[in-house]
Amino acid sequence: MSSLIRLFRTSAEAVAAALMAAMFATFILQVLVRYTARLPWVAENMPFLQPTNFGWTLEFCLAIWVWLIFWGNSFVVRVEDHVTFDVLYVSVSPRVRRIFTIVTGLAVAIALLLSVAPTWDRLAILRLKKTATLGDLFGDWIRMRDVYMIYIVFLVAVAGRYLWQVWQALRESLGGTGDTGQTGGQA
C-alpha cells in the first residue's frame, strides 16, 4: 500500500511539474513574441510571430494556474506543509486532540461534499460558455466548464483527505494509543 501511495504522490507531483512547465513555456513565448514583434526584420521574415496570433497565451496561463492551484492542494501539498494556528490544539491532551480532529475533520469534509452539487450545477451552466481565446489553440470544444472542473476534483479530494484523518483519529481512539501522529487538527 505504501508503494502505491508513493507512486500516486510522485505522479501527482509530475502532473504539477508539467503544469508549471507548460505555464513557464507559455510565459517565455509571451515575452519572446512581445519583444521580437517590434523588430522590423522579424515582422517581415516571420509573420507567424505576430502578437495577434498569441492572444491565447494569457488565458492559457490563467487556466493552467487555476489547475495548478487546485491540483496541488488536492494531491501534492502535505498536511505538514499547511500553515496552522494550533496554539489551543497543542496545549490539550492527545484525547482532546483526537476529538478536535474528528469534529473539525467531519465538519470540513461534510461542508466540502455538500458544496459539490451546487458547484456541479454552476459548472453545468458554464458548459455553454466558450473561452475567449483558447478556442484558437485547442478548437471550439473547450468550454469554461473544462477550465473549472478541477474544482470538483479539489472538493472531493480534500474531503477525502479530511475523512482519512478522521478515520485515523478514530482508529487511535479505539486502539487506545496516546500518540496522535499526523491526525492533528491540521489539514
Side-chain angles (χ1 to χ4, degrees), residues 79 82-91 100 104 184-187:
V79 172
H82 286 268
V83 175
T84 58
F85 300 99
D86 56 1
V87 174
L88 178 62
Y89 179 81
V90 297
S91 66
F100 283 175
T104 58
Q186 315 160 35

Side-chain angles (χ1 to χ4, degrees), residues 76-126:
V76 178
V77 178
R78 297 178 311 240
V79 172
E80 306 86 44
D81 296 337
H82 286 268
V83 175
T84 58
F85 300 99
D86 56 1
V87 174
L88 178 62
Y89 179 81
V90 297
S91 66
V92 296
S93 70
R95 182 177 179 275
V96 175
R97 287 182 193 173
R98 283 191 295 275
I99 293 170
F100 283 175
T101 298
I102 292 166
V103 170
T104 58
L106 284 174
V108 170
I110 289 169
L112 290 173
L113 291 173
L114 286 175
S115 69
V116 169
T119 303
W120 185 264
D121 291 343
R122 182 54 118 174
L123 289 179
I125 294 168
L126 290 177

Side-chain angles (χ1 to χ4, degrees), residues 24-25 28 48 77 84-85 89 103 117 122 132 145 151 159 167 178 180:
F24 182 70
I28 295 299
F48 58 88
V77 178
T84 58
F85 300 99
Y89 179 81
V103 170
R122 182 54 118 174
R145 172 200 57 204
Y151 186 65
W167 170 249
T180 57

